[in-house]
Amino acid sequence: MSFAAVAQAQLDAYNAQDVDGLCRHFADDMAVADLNAEPNLHGVEAFRERHLGLFAQFPDNRAELLSRVVIGNKVIDHERVFRSPDATPFEVAAIYTFAGEKIARVDFVKA
């Protein structure tokens, strides 16, 4: 599976609020950080817990892909995130770094 296909599959799982499907695309020792910062989350189990809480708090949460760029082992997605029908959407850039066929790190830029 290409890096772009993995990025799309995890986005599809995110939008379906399928936590198991989402986590399937991440390495066990994955990390999440804001761009140029130290990771604020370590490991797929912590990632799973964060998303269980997120989806419980925002049952209508979804992300719309605006653009995608693949450069080497990185996929950069520009997304518009909708937490709920009445909330103002916000934009993020998610930079997925791959190790093998799994996402090893995600760096976020939030607007």
Side-chain angles (χ1 to χ4, degrees), residues 68-89:
R68 175 172 288 147
V69 176
V70 179
I71 302 172
N73 72 330
K74 303 219 180 341
V75 175
I76 305 164
D77 281 359
H78 178 199
E79 302 169 359
R80 183 171 294 123
V81 179
F82 300 84
R83 291 286 190 227
S84 67
D86 57 337
T88 302

Side-chain angles (χ1 to χ4, degrees), residues 10 13-14 16 26 35 48 52 58 71 84 97 99:
Q10 69 82 38
Y14 177 90
F26 290 84
L35 186 63
R48 176 186 308 281
L52 286 170
F58 300 106
I71 302 172
S84 67
T97 301

Side-chain angles (χ1 to χ4, degrees), residues 47-67:
F47 185 74
R48 176 186 308 281
E49 290 303 314
R50 178 179 284 180
H51 283 83
L52 286 170
L54 174 72
F55 296 153
Q57 183 177 2
F58 300 106
D60 294 321
N61 186 78
R62 66 182 176 82
E64 173 184 286
L65 182 65
L66 301 176
S67 64

Side-chain angles (χ1 to χ4, degrees), residues 17-40:
Q17 297 196 5
D18 175 3
V19 175
D20 290 334
L22 176 64
C23 290
R24 185 175 302 121
H25 301 289
F26 290 84
D28 289 343
D29 61 347
M30 61 86 66
V32 176
D34 292 326
L35 186 63
N36 297 323
E38 291 298 315
N40 57 48

